[in-house]
Amino acid sequence: EYIKTQQVGRTKRRFEPMAIMKGPFESNQQGASKITVSLPNYVGAVRAMVIAVDNKRMGQLNELFEVKNDLMILPTFPRFVGVGDVFESDLNVFSMLNEGVTAQIKVAAKTPLLVSQKPEEEQFLKPQEETLVKVEFEALNMIGTSIVSVNVRTPDKEAVVTVALTIQPQTLRTYKQQSWSLNEAPLNITLNAMGLPGTQKAWLNISKLPYLSIQHRVNSLIQYPYGCLEQRLSKVFGQLALPQLT
C-alpha cells in the first residue's frame, strides 16, 4: 500500500499484454476445430500452444507465427518520464509494400505530455525497407498518464499505434509537519501548498501528546526492498522501539 502511494500518476498499462487463453473447444470427427483470435496492436512473433484431451489421452502442439502487416510502426519510448523532461523518441516505420509510397506521419499526445517538434510530417517509404522518424516530446509540470498515438497513412494503407506513458515526480513523496498549541482563543491555520498539483494531502491530528510523525517512516522501513536475509531481518529492529514511543 505504501509503495502504491509513491507511484502516483500511473493509471494505465504501458502496453496491452500479448497473452490470450481460449477454450475449451470441441473438434469435429477429423479432430479439427477453427478458432478466431483478435490480437492487440502488436508486431513480432507469437507462439500458439494447443492442448488436446480425450478421456485419458492427452496431446500438445505449439507453433511460431509472425504477426505483420503491409504497414507497421515500432515506437521506442522511455519507460518512465519525469516532470519537465524533454526527450526524443524514435519511430521505426516498416513498409512491406512492393513499391515506394509517400506517407503522412502524425503524432499526438494527451496532457501532461506535448509533442514539441514535428507533430506531423511527410516521409517517403522505400519498398520492403525501414524508415526512421524522430519526434521530440516535452512533459508538463504535472503528473499523470499520457496516451501517445502514432498514425501513418498512405493513399490506401494505414497503421496506428497507441502507448501509455506515465509522467511521475522526480522524487518520492515528501512530508512537512507544523504544530500549534490550542487554548481558548480561536486558531486560524493557513497551509502553504508544496509539491506538484494534484499530489498534496493534509492530515489534522489533535492530541495531548507531541505528534511524532513517524507513520510514513515506519511504512518506508517495512516496505523497503531489502535484499539478503540479514537485511530483511534488520527492518524489524527499528520496530522494537515503537512500544516506547506510543
Side-chain angles (χ1 to χ4, degrees):
E1 185 66 27
Y2 174 73
I3 294 178
K4 290 181 180 179
T5 64
Q6 306 300 307
Q7 297 174 341
V8 291
R10 187 174 304 174
T11 59
K12 186 176 175 62
R13 287 175 179 257
R14 179 178 170 86
F15 300 104
E16 295 183 47
M18 187 53 251
I20 300 174
M21 180 177 292
K22 284 198 171 188
F25 300 96
E26 290 188 3
S27 64
N28 56 23
Q29 295 294 332
Q30 289 73 37
S33 179
K34 184 177 180 179
I35 303 170
T36 302
V37 178
S38 298
L39 300 181
N41 202 337
Y42 177 81
V43 176
V46 296
R47 183 178 298 276
M49 295 173 284
V50 180
I51 299 176
V53 179
D54 181 18
N55 294 326
K56 295 183 179 181
R57 297 178 298 174
M58 297 185 66
Q60 65 84 25
L61 178 69
N62 68 86
E63 190 167 344
L64 197 65
F65 297 91
E66 287 187 358
V67 181
K68 58 184 180 180
N69 208 337
D70 291 337
L71 203 59
M72 298 176 289
I73 310 169
L74 183 61
T76 303
F77 291 109
R79 184 161 182 80
F80 299 107
V81 179
V83 171
D85 282 353
V86 176
F87 61 95
E88 188 179 69
S89 290
D90 294 341
L91 306 178
N92 299 83
V93 181
F94 299 89
S95 174
M96 299 292 103
L97 302 173
N98 294 323
E99 58 183 17
V101 63
T102 300
Q104 290 282 346
I105 301 175
K106 184 177 181 180
V107 183
K110 294 184 178 180
T111 304
L113 196 64
L114 297 176
V115 182
S116 55
Q117 289 185 9
K118 297 183 179 180
E120 188 170 356
E121 64 176 282
E122 284 189 356
Q123 285 280 350
F124 181 77
L125 306 181
K126 296 181 180 180
Q128 304 290 328
E129 285 193 18
E130 170 188 356
T131 301
L132 177 63
V133 180
K134 293 183 177 293
V135 183
E136 188 173 291
F137 295 88
E138 180 181 356
L140 301 179
N141 191 33
M142 57 188 300
I143 64 171
T145 300
S146 175
I147 305 301
V148 181
S149 63
V150 182
N151 181 287
V152 178
R153 184 192 297 268
T154 66
D156 56 351
K157 301 291 182 179
E158 183 179 15
V160 179
V161 169
T162 59
V163 179
L165 287 180
T166 299
I167 289 78
Q168 59 185 20
Q170 302 284 7
T171 61
L172 295 179
R173 191 180 299 277
T174 58
Y175 296 83
K176 182 180 180 180
Q177 177 183 348
Q178 294 179 266
S179 301
W180 301 270
S181 296
L182 296 177
N183 48 43
E184 296 180 357
L187 177 63
N188 296 322
I189 300 176
T190 302
L191 299 179
N192 297 322
M194 58 178 290
L196 297 171
T199 65
Q200 303 97 336
K201 290 184 179 180
W203 292 267
L204 177 62
N205 183 70
I206 302 176
S207 175
K208 294 182 179 180
L209 301 175
Y211 183 57
L212 300 180
S213 184
I214 63 173
Q215 181 63 48
H216 64 279
R217 296 182 173 90
V218 174
N219 289 339
S220 178
L221 180 68
I222 295 174
Q223 298 293 339
Y224 188 84
Y226 294 89
C228 64
L229 179 61
E230 181 182 358
Q231 292 176 334
R232 292 180 180 179
L233 292 176
S234 66
K235 66 182 180 182
V236 182
F237 298 151
Q239 300 176 57
L240 297 177
L242 291 181
Q244 304 174 24
L245 303 177
T246 57

